[in-house]
Protein backbone atom coordinates (compact mmCIF):
# COMPACT_ATOMS: atom_id res chain seq x y z
CA UNK A 1 0.00 0.00 0.00
CA UNK A 2 1.31 3.46 -0.87
CA UNK A 3 1.83 6.06 1.85
CA UNK A 4 -0.43 9.09 1.84
CA UNK A 5 1.18 11.64 -0.56
CA UNK A 6 0.80 14.61 1.81
CA UNK A 7 2.37 12.78 4.76
CA UNK A 8 5.05 11.31 2.49
CA UNK A 9 6.10 14.75 1.21
CA UNK A 10 6.13 16.16 4.74
CA UNK A 11 8.33 13.30 6.02
CA UNK A 12 10.75 13.77 3.13
CA UNK A 13 11.01 17.51 3.83
CA UNK A 14 11.60 16.88 7.51
CA UNK A 15 14.33 14.31 6.77
CA UNK A 16 16.14 16.88 4.65
CA UNK A 17 15.61 19.56 7.31
CA UNK A 18 17.13 17.38 10.04
CA UNK A 19 20.24 16.75 7.96
CA UNK A 20 20.61 20.46 7.15
CA UNK A 21 20.08 21.43 10.79
CA UNK A 22 22.76 19.01 11.95
CA UNK A 23 25.26 20.19 9.32
CA UNK A 24 24.51 23.85 10.09
CA UNK A 25 25.00 23.44 13.86
CA UNK A 26 28.28 21.54 13.43
CA UNK A 27 29.59 24.02 10.83
CA UNK A 28 28.71 27.10 12.90
CA UNK A 29 30.32 25.70 16.09
CA UNK A 30 33.44 23.97 14.72
CA UNK A 31 34.19 25.77 11.45
CA UNK A 32 33.02 29.32 12.13
CA UNK A 33 33.85 29.23 15.82
CA UNK A 34 30.60 30.80 17.08
CA UNK A 35 29.68 30.05 20.66
CA UNK A 36 26.25 28.42 20.50
CA UNK A 37 24.42 26.02 22.80
CA UNK A 38 25.81 22.96 21.05
CA UNK A 39 24.60 20.26 23.44
CA UNK A 40 20.98 21.49 23.74
CA UNK A 41 20.78 21.91 19.97
CA UNK A 42 22.08 18.38 19.37
CA UNK A 43 19.58 17.00 21.92
CA UNK A 44 16.68 18.75 20.17
CA UNK A 45 17.82 17.51 16.74
CA UNK A 46 18.17 13.98 18.15
CA UNK A 47 14.63 14.11 19.55
CA UNK A 48 13.39 15.38 16.19
CA UNK A 49 15.17 12.49 14.45
CA UNK A 50 13.57 9.96 16.82
CA UNK A 51 10.15 11.51 16.19
CA UNK A 52 10.83 11.31 12.46
CA UNK A 53 11.71 7.60 12.63
CA UNK A 54 8.56 6.85 14.64
CA UNK A 55 6.47 8.83 12.15
CA UNK A 56 7.91 6.93 9.19
CA UNK A 57 7.15 3.62 10.90
CA UNK A 58 3.62 4.72 11.81
CA UNK A 59 2.71 5.95 8.32
CA UNK A 60 4.59 3.51 6.11
CA UNK A 61 1.43 1.49 5.29
CA UNK A 62 -1.21 4.21 5.64
CA UNK A 63 -2.90 4.86 2.31
CA UNK A 64 -4.90 7.89 3.49
CA UNK A 65 -3.90 9.73 6.64
CA UNK A 66 -6.46 11.54 8.77
CA UNK A 67 -6.27 15.31 9.05
CA UNK A 68 -5.57 15.02 12.78
CA UNK A 69 -2.40 13.09 12.01
CA UNK A 70 -1.27 15.80 9.57
CA UNK A 71 -1.95 18.49 12.19
CA UNK A 72 0.09 16.58 14.78
CA UNK A 73 3.03 16.37 12.37
CA UNK A 74 2.87 20.09 11.57
CA UNK A 75 2.52 20.95 15.26
CA UNK A 76 5.67 18.97 16.00
CA UNK A 77 7.52 20.83 13.21
CA UNK A 78 6.55 24.22 14.64
CA UNK A 79 7.55 23.21 18.18
CA UNK A 80 10.89 21.66 17.17
CA UNK A 81 11.77 24.68 15.05
CA UNK A 82 10.75 27.10 17.81
CA UNK A 83 12.94 25.28 20.36
CA UNK A 84 15.90 25.22 17.96
CA UNK A 85 15.51 28.95 17.36
CA UNK A 86 15.26 29.65 21.10
CA UNK A 87 18.72 28.08 21.58
CA UNK A 88 20.24 29.97 18.63
CA UNK A 89 19.26 33.59 18.96
CA UNK A 90 15.47 33.46 19.12
CA UNK A 91 13.76 36.20 17.15
CA UNK A 92 17.16 37.59 16.13
CA UNK A 93 17.97 34.42 14.15
CA UNK A 94 17.88 35.07 10.41
CA UNK A 95 16.09 31.75 9.86
CA UNK A 96 13.08 32.64 12.04
CA UNK A 97 11.03 33.04 8.84
CA UNK A 98 11.20 29.25 8.47
CA UNK A 99 8.18 29.20 10.76
CA UNK A 100 6.20 30.13 7.63
CA UNK A 101 6.90 26.72 6.07
CA UNK A 102 4.45 24.74 8.25
CA UNK A 103 1.79 27.33 7.38
CA UNK A 104 2.46 26.86 3.66
CA UNK A 105 2.24 23.09 3.99
CA UNK A 106 -0.98 23.37 6.01
CA UNK A 107 -2.50 25.66 3.38
CA UNK A 108 -2.41 22.87 0.79
CA UNK A 109 -3.03 19.82 2.99
CA UNK A 110 -5.55 20.53 5.76
CA UNK A 111 -8.91 22.22 6.19
CA UNK A 112 -9.46 25.92 6.88
CA UNK A 113 -9.76 25.30 10.63
CA UNK A 114 -6.54 23.27 10.68
CA UNK A 115 -4.78 25.98 8.68
CA UNK A 116 -5.93 28.65 11.14
CA UNK A 117 -4.64 26.52 14.03
CA UNK A 118 -1.16 26.08 12.51
CA UNK A 119 -0.97 29.78 11.58
CA UNK A 120 -1.88 30.85 15.13
CA UNK A 121 0.60 28.34 16.57
CA UNK A 122 3.43 29.71 14.40
CA UNK A 123 2.57 33.31 15.29
CA UNK A 124 2.45 32.37 18.98
CA UNK A 125 5.87 30.67 18.69
CA UNK A 126 7.38 33.79 17.06
CA UNK A 127 5.75 36.00 19.71
CA UNK A 128 7.22 33.91 22.53
CA UNK A 129 10.66 34.05 20.92
CA UNK A 130 10.36 37.84 20.69
CA UNK A 131 9.12 38.17 24.26
CA UNK A 132 11.96 36.00 25.67
CA UNK A 133 14.71 37.99 23.98
CA UNK A 134 17.25 39.45 26.47
CA UNK A 135 16.62 43.11 27.24
CA UNK A 136 20.19 44.11 26.39
CA UNK A 137 19.70 42.71 22.90
CA UNK A 138 16.47 44.67 22.47
CA UNK A 139 18.04 47.95 23.59
CA UNK A 140 21.34 47.48 21.78
CA UNK A 141 21.54 50.10 19.02
CA UNK A 142 17.79 50.72 19.61
CA UNK A 143 16.74 47.51 17.80
CA UNK A 144 13.39 47.26 19.57
CA UNK A 145 11.39 48.80 16.75
CA UNK A 146 13.28 46.67 14.21
CA UNK A 147 12.41 43.36 15.91
CA UNK A 148 8.80 44.44 16.44
CA UNK A 149 8.67 45.34 12.74
CA UNK A 150 9.97 41.88 11.88
CA UNK A 151 7.25 40.35 14.06
CA UNK A 152 4.56 42.44 12.35
CA UNK A 153 5.96 41.42 8.97
CA UNK A 154 5.81 37.76 10.01
CA UNK A 155 2.19 38.08 11.19
CA UNK A 156 1.19 39.74 7.91
CA UNK A 157 3.04 37.11 5.85
CA UNK A 158 1.46 34.26 7.82
CA UNK A 159 -2.03 35.78 7.40
CA UNK A 160 -1.57 36.32 3.66
CA UNK A 161 -0.35 32.75 3.16
CA UNK A 162 -3.21 31.34 5.22
CA UNK A 163 -5.88 33.38 3.44
CA UNK A 164 -4.64 33.53 -0.15
CA UNK A 165 -2.94 30.16 -0.54
CA UNK A 166 -5.65 28.44 1.49
CA UNK A 167 -8.40 29.97 -0.65
CA UNK A 168 -6.57 29.06 -3.87
CA UNK A 169 -6.12 25.49 -2.66
CA UNK A 170 -9.82 25.14 -1.79
CA UNK A 171 -10.81 26.61 -5.15
CA UNK A 172 -8.46 24.17 -6.89
CA UNK A 173 -9.92 21.19 -5.02
CA UNK A 174 -13.44 22.38 -5.83
CA UNK A 175 -12.53 22.63 -9.49
CA UNK A 176 -11.01 19.14 -9.43
CA UNK A 177 -14.21 17.75 -7.90
CA UNK A 178 -16.30 19.43 -10.60
CA UNK A 179 -14.02 18.06 -13.34
CA UNK A 180 -14.13 14.57 -11.81
CA UNK A 181 -17.93 14.73 -11.55
CA UNK A 182 -18.22 15.91 -15.16
CA UNK A 183 -15.88 13.18 -16.35
CA UNK A 184 -17.88 10.55 -14.45
CA UNK A 185 -21.14 11.79 -15.98
CA UNK A 186 -19.56 11.72 -19.44
CA UNK A 187 -18.39 8.13 -18.94
CA UNK A 188 -21.86 7.15 -17.77
CA UNK A 189 -23.40 8.80 -20.81
CA UNK A 190 -21.01 6.93 -23.10
CA UNK A 191 -21.85 3.65 -21.38
CA UNK A 192 -25.57 4.35 -21.73
CA UNK A 193 -25.20 5.13 -25.43
CA UNK A 194 -23.35 1.85 -25.92
CA UNK A 195 -25.97 -0.08 -23.94
CA UNK A 196 -28.81 1.63 -25.79
CA UNK A 197 -27.30 0.78 -29.17
CA UNK A 198 -26.79 -2.84 -28.21
CA UNK A 199 -30.27 -3.10 -26.72
CA UNK A 200 -31.88 -1.55 -29.79
CA UNK A 201 -30.07 -4.02 -32.02
CA UNK A 202 -31.16 -6.97 -29.87
CA UNK A 203 -34.73 -5.68 -29.82
CA UNK A 204 -34.75 -5.47 -33.60
CA UNK A 205 -33.34 -8.98 -33.89
CA UNK A 206 -35.94 -10.39 -31.47
CA UNK A 207 -38.92 -8.64 -33.03
CA UNK A 208 -39.10 -10.87 -36.13
CA UNK A 209 -38.81 -14.25 -34.31
CA UNK A 210 -41.46 -13.21 -31.78
CA UNK A 211 -43.77 -12.08 -34.59
CA UNK A 212 -43.29 -15.43 -36.34
CA UNK A 213 -43.99 -17.28 -33.10
CA UNK A 214 -47.15 -15.22 -32.63
CA UNK A 215 -48.35 -16.19 -36.13
CA UNK A 216 -47.56 -19.85 -35.47
CA UNK A 217 -49.45 -19.67 -32.21
CA UNK A 218 -52.52 -18.24 -33.93
CA UNK A 219 -52.44 -21.08 -36.46
CA UNK A 220 -52.06 -23.69 -33.71
CA UNK A 221 -54.87 -22.25 -31.62
CA UNK A 222 -57.16 -22.41 -34.67
CA UNK A 223 -56.20 -26.01 -35.38
CA UNK A 224 -56.07 -27.23 -31.76
CA UNK A 225 -58.24 -24.94 -29.65
CA UNK A 226 -58.56 -27.51 -26.86
CA UNK A 227 -54.85 -28.31 -26.54
CA UNK A 228 -53.71 -27.07 -23.06
CA UNK A 229 -50.06 -26.81 -24.11
CA UNK A 230 -50.95 -24.47 -26.96
CA UNK A 231 -53.17 -22.40 -24.64
CA UNK A 232 -50.32 -22.02 -22.15
CA UNK A 233 -48.19 -20.39 -24.86
CA UNK A 234 -50.43 -17.35 -25.09
CA UNK A 235 -49.42 -15.58 -21.90
CA UNK A 236 -45.61 -15.88 -22.37
CA UNK A 237 -45.87 -14.72 -26.00
CA UNK A 238 -48.05 -11.78 -24.98
CA UNK A 239 -45.59 -10.84 -22.27
CA UNK A 240 -42.70 -10.91 -24.77
CA UNK A 241 -44.65 -8.71 -27.19
CA UNK A 242 -45.56 -6.23 -24.45
CA UNK A 243 -42.01 -6.12 -23.12
CA UNK A 244 -40.61 -5.38 -26.58
CA UNK A 245 -43.13 -2.60 -27.10
CA UNK A 246 -42.33 -1.13 -23.70
CA UNK A 247 -38.62 -1.39 -24.33
CA UNK A 248 -38.92 0.51 -27.62
CA UNK A 249 -40.82 3.25 -25.85
CA UNK A 250 -38.36 3.42 -22.96
CA UNK A 251 -35.40 3.44 -25.33
CA UNK A 252 -36.85 6.39 -27.23
CA UNK A 253 -37.47 8.15 -23.92
CA UNK A 254 -33.86 7.58 -22.88
CA UNK A 255 -32.44 8.88 -26.15
CA UNK A 256 -34.69 11.90 -26.39
CA UNK A 257 -34.45 12.85 -22.70
CA UNK A 258 -38.19 13.53 -22.78
CA UNK A 259 -40.15 15.87 -20.56
CA UNK A 260 -40.84 14.86 -17.01
CA UNK A 261 -44.32 14.49 -15.55
CA UNK A 262 -45.81 14.32 -12.07
CA UNK A 263 -46.71 10.87 -10.76
CA UNK A 264 -48.79 10.27 -7.60
CA UNK A 265 -46.95 8.05 -5.14
CA UNK A 266 -50.00 5.80 -4.56
CA UNK A 267 -50.11 5.14 -8.31
CA UNK A 268 -46.39 4.35 -8.34
CA UNK A 269 -46.77 2.00 -5.37
CA UNK A 270 -49.69 0.24 -7.06
CA UNK A 271 -47.71 -0.29 -10.27
CA UNK A 272 -44.78 -1.66 -8.26
CA UNK A 273 -47.09 -4.06 -6.42
CA UNK A 274 -48.85 -5.26 -9.58
CA UNK A 275 -45.66 -5.74 -11.59
CA UNK A 276 -43.90 -7.66 -8.81
CA UNK A 277 -46.97 -9.85 -8.29
CA UNK A 278 -46.99 -10.68 -11.99
CA UNK A 279 -43.27 -11.30 -12.43
CA UNK A 280 -42.33 -12.72 -8.99
CA UNK A 281 -45.46 -14.21 -7.40
CA UNK A 282 -43.37 -16.17 -4.90
CA UNK A 283 -41.90 -12.98 -3.41
CA UNK A 284 -43.90 -11.07 -0.79
CA UNK A 285 -43.76 -7.27 -0.73
CA UNK A 286 -44.36 -5.81 2.73
CA UNK A 287 -45.09 -2.07 2.95
CA UNK A 288 -44.06 -0.96 6.43
CA UNK A 289 -46.05 2.29 6.30
CA UNK A 290 -48.79 3.92 4.30
CA UNK A 291 -47.90 5.57 1.00
CA UNK A 292 -47.93 9.40 1.40
CA UNK A 293 -50.29 11.44 -0.75
CA UNK A 294 -47.61 13.26 -2.75
CA UNK A 295 -46.59 13.47 -6.40
CA UNK A 296 -43.00 13.11 -7.55
CA UNK A 297 -41.02 14.02 -10.66
CA UNK A 298 -41.24 11.07 -13.04
CA UNK A 299 -40.91 9.89 -16.59
CA UNK A 300 -41.22 6.58 -18.41
CA UNK A 301 -37.93 5.35 -16.88
CA UNK A 302 -38.80 5.79 -13.18
CA UNK A 303 -40.79 2.58 -12.73
CA UNK A 304 -38.23 0.40 -14.60
CA UNK A 305 -35.46 1.97 -12.48
CA UNK A 306 -37.21 0.93 -9.26
CA UNK A 307 -38.09 -2.49 -10.69
CA UNK A 308 -34.40 -3.04 -11.49
CA UNK A 309 -33.62 -2.58 -7.80
CA UNK A 310 -36.45 -4.89 -6.80
CA UNK A 311 -35.20 -7.50 -9.25
CA UNK A 312 -31.78 -7.35 -7.58
CA UNK A 313 -33.49 -7.73 -4.20
CA UNK A 314 -35.30 -10.82 -5.50
CA UNK A 315 -32.01 -12.27 -6.74
CA UNK A 316 -30.41 -11.66 -3.32
CA UNK A 317 -33.37 -13.33 -1.61
CA UNK A 318 -33.18 -16.36 -3.88
CA UNK A 319 -29.55 -16.90 -2.92
CA UNK A 320 -30.59 -17.32 0.72
CA UNK A 321 -34.03 -18.91 0.11
CA UNK A 322 -35.89 -15.87 1.43
CA UNK A 323 -39.21 -14.62 0.09
CA UNK A 324 -39.76 -11.25 1.76
CA UNK A 325 -38.92 -7.73 0.58
CA UNK A 326 -39.79 -4.77 2.80
CA UNK A 327 -40.49 -1.27 1.49
CA UNK A 328 -40.89 1.92 3.52
CA UNK A 329 -41.38 5.63 2.87
CA UNK A 330 -39.50 8.44 4.64
CA UNK A 331 -40.51 12.09 4.13
CA UNK A 332 -37.98 14.93 4.50
CA UNK A 333 -39.99 18.18 4.52
CA UNK A 334 -36.99 20.25 5.66
CA UNK A 335 -35.13 19.63 2.40
CA UNK A 336 -35.48 22.03 -0.49
CA UNK A 337 -36.92 20.79 -2.72
CA UNK A 338 -38.92 18.48 -0.47
CA UNK A 339 -37.77 14.89 -0.93
CA UNK A 340 -39.03 11.46 -0.02
CA UNK A 341 -37.12 8.20 0.28
CA UNK A 342 -38.25 4.73 -0.72
CA UNK A 343 -36.18 2.11 1.10
CA UNK A 344 -36.07 -1.38 -0.44
CA UNK A 345 -34.63 -4.05 1.84
CA UNK A 346 -33.89 -7.64 0.92
CA UNK A 347 -32.85 -10.47 3.22
CA UNK A 348 -29.90 -11.74 1.23
CA UNK A 349 -26.19 -11.72 1.99
CA UNK A 350 -25.85 -7.95 1.60
CA UNK A 351 -23.38 -5.97 -0.50
CA UNK A 352 -19.65 -6.54 -0.49
CA UNK A 353 -17.23 -3.66 0.07
CA UNK A 354 -16.33 -3.60 -3.65
CA UNK A 355 -19.99 -3.47 -4.65
CA UNK A 356 -20.72 -0.59 -2.29
CA UNK A 357 -17.84 1.43 -3.73
CA UNK A 358 -18.57 0.68 -7.39
CA UNK A 359 -22.29 -0.02 -7.85
CA UNK A 360 -24.13 2.88 -9.42
CA UNK A 361 -20.94 4.53 -10.61
CA UNK A 362 -19.75 2.16 -13.31
CA UNK A 363 -20.47 -1.21 -14.84
CA UNK A 364 -19.32 -4.20 -12.85
CA UNK A 365 -18.82 -7.75 -14.06
CA UNK A 366 -21.75 -9.69 -12.65
CA UNK A 367 -23.40 -12.97 -13.51
CA UNK A 368 -26.78 -11.52 -12.52
CA UNK A 369 -26.41 -8.20 -14.33
CA UNK A 370 -26.57 -6.22 -11.08
CA UNK A 371 -23.94 -3.71 -12.22
CA UNK A 372 -25.80 -2.64 -15.35
CA UNK A 373 -29.20 -2.57 -13.65
CA UNK A 374 -28.03 -0.38 -10.77
CA UNK A 375 -26.11 1.89 -13.14
CA UNK A 376 -29.23 2.51 -15.23
CA UNK A 377 -31.33 3.08 -12.11
CA UNK A 378 -28.79 5.51 -10.69
CA UNK A 379 -28.58 7.56 -13.90
CA UNK A 380 -32.38 7.67 -14.19
CA UNK A 381 -32.84 8.88 -10.61
CA UNK A 382 -30.16 11.55 -10.98
CA UNK A 383 -31.90 12.83 -14.11
CA UNK A 384 -35.13 13.11 -12.10
CA UNK A 385 -33.39 15.15 -9.34
CA UNK A 386 -33.20 12.09 -7.11
CA UNK A 387 -30.45 9.78 -5.94
CA UNK A 388 -29.64 6.18 -5.08
CA UNK A 389 -27.81 5.00 -1.96
CA UNK A 390 -26.83 1.39 -1.25
CA UNK A 391 -25.89 0.06 2.17
CA UNK A 392 -26.15 -3.04 4.33
CA UNK A 393 -28.86 -3.33 6.96
CA UNK A 394 -27.54 -3.80 10.53
CA UNK A 395 -29.68 -6.92 10.91
CA UNK A 396 -28.65 -8.42 7.57
CA UNK A 397 -29.50 -7.98 3.93
CA UNK A 398 -29.01 -5.05 1.58
CA UNK A 399 -30.92 -1.78 1.37
CA UNK A 400 -31.43 0.39 -1.71
CA UNK A 401 -32.57 3.87 -0.69
CA UNK A 402 -34.25 5.73 -3.55
CA UNK A 403 -34.66 9.48 -3.07
CA UNK A 404 -37.40 11.11 -5.16
CA UNK A 405 -38.07 14.81 -5.68
CA UNK A 406 -41.58 15.85 -4.63
CA UNK A 407 -43.57 18.29 -6.73
CA UNK A 408 -46.65 18.79 -4.53
CA UNK A 409 -49.26 17.08 -2.40
CA UNK A 410 -51.59 14.92 -4.41
CA UNK A 411 -54.67 16.78 -3.15
CA UNK A 412 -53.31 20.06 -4.49
CA UNK A 413 -52.68 18.51 -7.89
CA UNK A 414 -56.08 16.89 -8.09
Amino acid sequence: MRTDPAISRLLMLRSGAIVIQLIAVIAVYFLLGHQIALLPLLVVISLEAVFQILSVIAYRNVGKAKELGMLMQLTADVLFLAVLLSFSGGATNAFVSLLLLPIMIAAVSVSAKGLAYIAMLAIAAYSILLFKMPQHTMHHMDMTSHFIGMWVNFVISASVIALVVGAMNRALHSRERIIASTREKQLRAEQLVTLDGAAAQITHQLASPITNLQLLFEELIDEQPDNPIVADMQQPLQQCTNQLSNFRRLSEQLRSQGKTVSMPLPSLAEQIQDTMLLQYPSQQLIWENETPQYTVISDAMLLPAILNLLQNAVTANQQTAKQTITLSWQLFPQKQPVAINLSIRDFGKGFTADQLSELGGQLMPSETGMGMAVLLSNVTLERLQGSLTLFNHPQGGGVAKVQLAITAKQEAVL
Side-chain angles (χ1 to χ4, degrees):
M1 181 184 295
R2 291 185 58 188
T3 305
D4 180 82
I7 288 288
S8 178
R9 287 192 293 266
L10 179 60
L11 294 179
M12 290 180 61
L13 288 173
R14 186 186 296 141
S15 297
I18 292 174
V19 174
I20 294 175
Q21 291 166 7
L22 183 60
I23 294 175
V25 169
I26 294 176
V28 169
Y29 188 83
F30 290 102
L31 298 181
L32 300 181
H34 292 287
Q35 296 300 314
I36 58 175
L38 178 62
L39 183 59
L41 288 173
L42 292 178
V43 171
V44 174
I45 294 175
S46 299
L47 292 175
E48 187 178 7
V50 172
F51 179 79
Q52 171 71 354
I53 294 172
L54 294 177
S55 298
V56 170
I57 295 174
Y59 288 100
R60 67 182 186 276
N61 292 323
V62 177
K64 182 64 177 179
K66 295 182 179 179
E67 182 175 332
L68 180 60
M70 192 69 180
L71 289 176
M72 291 177 58
Q73 294 292 319
L74 292 173
T75 299
D77 288 333
V78 173
L79 296 179
F80 278 125
L81 185 56
V83 174
L84 287 172
L85 290 171
S86 67
F87 286 117
S88 56
T92 64
N93 193 310
F95 295 100
V96 71
S97 58
L98 289 176
L99 285 170
L100 292 173
L101 286 178
I103 303 177
M104 296 178 183
I105 297 174
V108 297
S109 58
V110 298
S111 64
K113 292 182 179 180
L115 173 59
Y117 160 73
I118 295 298
M120 294 301 297
L121 182 64
I123 292 174
Y126 195 119
S127 301
I128 294 173
L129 291 175
L130 181 64
F131 180 76
K132 292 182 63 177
M133 284 180 58
Q135 291 296 320
H136 67 83
T137 304
M138 295 286 287
H139 294 292
H140 181 64
M141 296 182 63
D142 195 22
M143 296 294 289
T144 303
S145 59
H146 172 72
F147 291 127
I148 293 177
M150 288 177 59
W151 177 83
V152 172
N153 177 68
F154 180 87
V155 173
I156 294 174
S157 300
S159 301
V160 170
I161 291 173
L163 294 175
V164 177
V165 179
M168 291 176 63
N169 181 62
R170 288 190 294 273
L172 181 61
H173 283 302
S174 177
R175 182 179 179 183
E176 290 177 349
R177 286 193 295 268
I178 293 174
I179 293 175
S181 176
T182 303
R183 185 184 299 113
E184 182 179 355
K185 290 181 179 179
Q186 182 179 359
L187 290 174
R188 288 184 181 181
E190 292 176 356
Q191 289 177 333
L192 286 177
V193 170
T194 303
L195 289 172
D196 183 62
Q201 183 178 1
I202 293 173
T203 302
H204 177 72
Q205 293 174 351
L206 289 177
S208 296
I210 290 178
T211 302
N212 293 335
L213 288 174
Q214 185 68 32
L215 294 175
L216 291 174
F217 167 74
E218 293 174 358
E219 293 179 3
L220 286 173
I221 202 67
D222 290 337
E223 296 177 0
Q224 305 179 31
D226 299 328
N227 191 327
I229 298 178
V230 176
D232 291 342
M233 293 174 57
Q234 182 175 8
Q235 184 177 0
L237 283 173
Q238 188 61 42
Q239 286 182 350
C240 291
T241 303
N242 293 338
Q243 290 296 335
L244 280 176
S245 299
N246 291 336
F247 192 83
R248 288 195 187 97
R249 179 170 55 87
L250 296 177
S251 181
E252 292 174 359
Q253 180 83 18
L254 183 63
R255 287 196 299 267
S256 61
Q257 298 290 319
K259 295 182 180 180
T260 59
V261 295
S262 296
M263 171 178 285
L265 285 179
S267 175
L268 177 61
E270 183 179 356
Q271 293 182 47
I272 292 174
Q273 185 74 35
D274 293 343
T275 305
M276 290 297 294
L277 181 61
L278 178 63
Q279 296 186 3
Y280 303 101
S282 61
Q283 294 290 320
Q284 182 182 9
L285 292 187
I286 298 179
W287 296 87
E288 295 185 338
N289 51 8
E290 186 178 354
T291 303
Q293 297 296 319
Y294 284 89
T295 61
V296 295
I297 300 175
S298 175
D299 63 10
M301 295 297 296
L302 177 59
L303 180 60
I306 296 177
L307 292 177
N308 283 340
L309 301 175
L310 286 167
Q311 181 180 2
N312 288 337
V314 171
T315 302
N317 275 353
Q318 291 174 346
Q319 294 175 352
T320 55
K322 303 294 184 180
Q323 297 180 341
T324 302
I325 298 175
T326 61
L327 299 94
S328 61
W329 299 99
Q330 291 177 302
L331 181 64
F332 297 93
Q334 70 277 10
K335 285 190 176 182
Q336 294 297 328
V338 180
I340 191 167
N341 286 348
L342 172 61
S343 295
I344 302 171
R345 180 195 173 189
D346 61 63
F347 291 84
K349 300 178 180 178
F351 301 105
T352 64
D354 291 338
Q355 287 176 331
L356 289 176
S357 62
E358 300 293 343
L359 278 177
Q362 63 184 33
L363 289 176
M364 290 186 63
S366 172
E367 296 180 357
T368 60
M370 177 181 290
M372 183 177 67
V374 177
L375 172 65
L376 294 173
S377 298
N378 193 24
V379 172
T380 297
L381 294 171
E382 288 181 352
R383 191 177 68 251
L384 299 176
Q385 303 179 29
S387 63
L388 173 63
T389 305
L390 303 175
F391 58 93
N392 289 322
H393 195 277
Q395 299 178 0
V399 179
K401 185 174 68 175
V402 177
Q403 180 174 304
L404 304 172
I406 290 179
T407 57
K409 276 195 174 182
Q410 188 179 350
E411 291 84 357
V413 175
L414 296 176

